[in-house]
Amino acid sequence: MKYLIQQVWLLLMIVSWSVCAQQSTKVVGVVKDKASQQPLEFVSVILLDAESKQPLTGTTTGVDGTFVLGVKKTNFLVEISFIGFKSLRLQPEVKNAYVNMGTLWLEEDAEQLEEVVVRAEKSTTEFKLDKRVFNVGKDLTSAGASAIEVLNNVPSVNVSIEGAITLRGGQGAQILINGKPSVIASQEGNALGTIVAEQIEKIEVITNPSAKYEAEGTAGIINIVLKKSEKKGLNGAVTLNTGSPNNHSIGLSINKRTQKFNFFGQLGVGKRTFPNTVSTLNRNKVANNEITSSGKGNKHEQFYNLSLGTDYHINDKNVITLSGNVAYEIEDEDSNMRFEEYANRILQAAYTRAEVTEATNPKYQYELQYKKDFERHKEQYLLFSALGSFFGKDQSSTFSNEVTAGTLASNSQRTRTDFKEARYTFKLDYVHPLNDQYTIETGAQYVLNDVSNDYAVSSLIGGNWIGNPGLTNVFEYYQNVLGAYATAAYEGDVWGIKAGLRVENTDLRTVLKTTNQEHTQQYTNLFPSVHTSYKVGTGFSLQAGYSRRIFRPRLWDLNPFFNIRNTFDIFTGNPNLLPEFTDSYELTSIHKIGKASVNFGLYHRYTTDVIEDVSFYNTTTNVTTRRPENFGTNAITGLEANYRWGITKWLTVNGDVNYNWFNRKGQFDAANNFDFNGTRWDTKATAKLKLPAQFDFEMTGNYQSSYKTAQSTIKSNGFVNVGLRKKLLQGKLIVNLGVRDVFATRRRASITDQPTFYSESNRARGRFFTLGVSFGFGKGEAMEYAAQKRF
């Protein structure tokens, strides 16, 4: 399959070269907001036949407001339109094969401003050369939800109830905030939980990143872009949410734009509860005994999130941005688990294990950014940023056992965790267009990561708390990554190509303080990338890409100490883990057929030194221990389709389907050969209905098939979300009612069946009800979702 994809890639390149020489007229320009003087992104630019007025070709403007189009005819019209603004229709004078429209100014249309609010209520997906952009609207099922829940609505992305994020079914996706790594984007400790849906502007999914991006993330990159506005004057929106179980929050978004300054800020405060139902089974096939556990628990969170920032426009070519974010969480967790021990199916002992956990999680982030534009070319710029962030966790837990059957002695334990993570990122990017077709980019990035995890366990013996040195340690983790890249791109009327190379040096050190065990790794790697695109026609285009990626083990993969929540089913890290490397190939096509648009993709990923959890069963203690290990390779080939179909004016359906098959090869040790093949697939679909009296209804279904891992089978899972919206006060006031997991079917279940042991694990959360009210002032939601200038 790898050879086949390489041949398809070569054929596409040959075809592209053969057609790129076709002559046509190139039309370029830039669109700006006349009031704010800022570029407008996503503006529709269409070329029309001057006589028939039929569309010839079209595009949307980029982040900097620019557009590039190619057309065979010389007698044509240029139509510029953007919701909330007055449209333009111009007929340029064509003297040669290059038409520069210059700067095109759009004026706001007061009669259309209310329509901008309507536009902001729906999430939409855009397909670009190297990524898909999910613009986050006011989805009915996302009101009051965290970033974790919003990600579940994004095509190609799935999130388990434990918060594990997969991209096209693969783990190892790199999560970024505003294009940069951040501890706020960490998948550990529910760091993404402090970001709520109302704060998110869009989510970019990059399945095959170019060399410009950090090489981390074998599955690709998920970039969460937070809202920021530059609308003139004072604007804002306020949102209130309430729900059951216990889901209450208030959010405020505000900005003030003057001639030189743009001040922006967001505030989020809330509290929520996540119930859990858990059950496990460990069976010793040799001794014919087993241990079962089952119970319920609740995780209560209070969160506070404040973001502030300002842009200072020194002049029209130089901008300095200073921004910061402070978040604070208070967690309380309680659970009761019943454990039963059987021998030859006869109950031997039973006890209840109660847990009470308290934690505080401070987080903060600050950034200084400078951007310089140049007179020579509108797309030439220099961008520097310095970013610092911190994430802490001060947690204590108490576990008490009460024996209800048998002769076991009751006992109590408690744990203490003091976790600190600091990350500093310095980034420099320079873009230099040689002309309107050729562009080179270069830059560098230095990321420093410093983590300390102080974990202690003690037992209540004779009325005194006695420390357990075998389960107590301080684990320190230091990782510095220095990277540099260069890319070169050609973009013609119908064909384009972009190639690049990135080099990264990784310096990793871990230390177990109590035992003075130290592990160091240092390695330098090259990460090439190639992307190309070919426009077959106005409704059909092809794209292809290749990139090499890396997945570096994270703290919890390396830390050998564990949580004692379930003493018979534990997870430990492995400080000897090596990074994974993945070669990723992709061929995609984009079709527009009437009111429908479909994106098809064929992809192949080949990964070496695969990291996968391996279970070890102790037949004496009946304890199952899971630990990540490096072994073997994994070849994944998949097909994916994303679609959107406006069936009628009142019914729209969109969704995605992903199917892949994999060939796993791995010899863990002399007794464990993990060679096997398998398939997995998942799909999600959303139907949006416009009802009378300005009511809207939405239903989203999500299904993931069962699939194999090295030792286990993960069971299938499906759930449904629904929502209802009512607009009031001409759309300025919006009321949402949502139900997530309507049938309470969302779960995480796995089975491990080995020669000497059998185990099961099940976890579920149940349904959530939410009621949300949002109100925009100034230009309100138009401020948040329309003309935006991103840096």
Side-chain angles (χ1 to χ4, degrees), residues 5 54 103 129 167 179 205 270 278 348 444 514 546 626 745-746:
I5 293 178
Q54 293 299 310
T103 301
L129 175 62
L167 179 56
V205 177
V278 183
Q348 304 295 310
T514 302
Y546 162 78
R626 291 178 294 115
T745 54
R746 189 179 178 187

Side-chain angles (χ1 to χ4, degrees), residues 478-620:
Y478 307 93
Q479 179 175 275
N480 300 332
V481 179
L482 176 62
Y485 74 91
T487 70
Y490 163 79
E491 185 172 357
D493 297 332
V494 295
W495 179 79
I497 185 170
K498 183 176 184 179
L501 180 66
R502 187 179 187 92
V503 57
E504 289 189 349
N505 175 263
T506 304
D507 187 2
L508 172 67
R509 182 168 69 95
T510 63
V511 181
L512 277 172
K513 283 292 190 179
T514 302
T515 59
N516 287 323
Q517 290 178 271
E518 183 172 332
H519 293 80
T520 61
Q521 297 181 36
Q522 187 171 31
Y523 43 90
T524 301
N525 305 102
L526 297 177
F527 300 96
S529 69
V530 181
H531 293 82
T532 187
S533 65
Y534 172 54
K535 298 177 182 178
V536 180
T538 56
F540 178 53
S541 61
L542 293 173
Q543 299 175 351
Y546 162 78
S547 66
R548 181 168 172 81
R549 310 288 297 165
I550 185 174
F551 173 75
R552 299 177 181 90
R554 292 178 280 244
L555 169 74
W556 303 115
D557 299 316
L558 301 170
N559 189 354
F561 287 81
F562 57 87
N563 193 300
I564 61 172
R565 179 164 291 140
N566 186 335
T567 54
F568 293 98
D569 187 8
I570 63 177
F571 175 86
T572 68
N574 179 1
N576 296 309
L577 280 180
L578 299 173
E580 291 182 349
F581 290 92
T582 295
D583 290 286
S584 179
Y585 305 83
E586 186 168 355
L587 178 65
T588 61
S589 62
I590 300 174
H591 307 258
K592 292 184 178 180
I593 308 170
K595 296 181 180 180
S597 60
V598 184
N599 168 251
F600 291 106
L602 168 67
Y603 60 91
H604 179 75
R605 297 197 301 261
Y606 183 77
T607 304
T608 58
D609 290 325
V610 175
I611 298 174
E612 192 157 352
D613 291 350
V614 179
S615 296
F616 304 89
Y617 186 75
N618 189 315
T619 57
T620 302

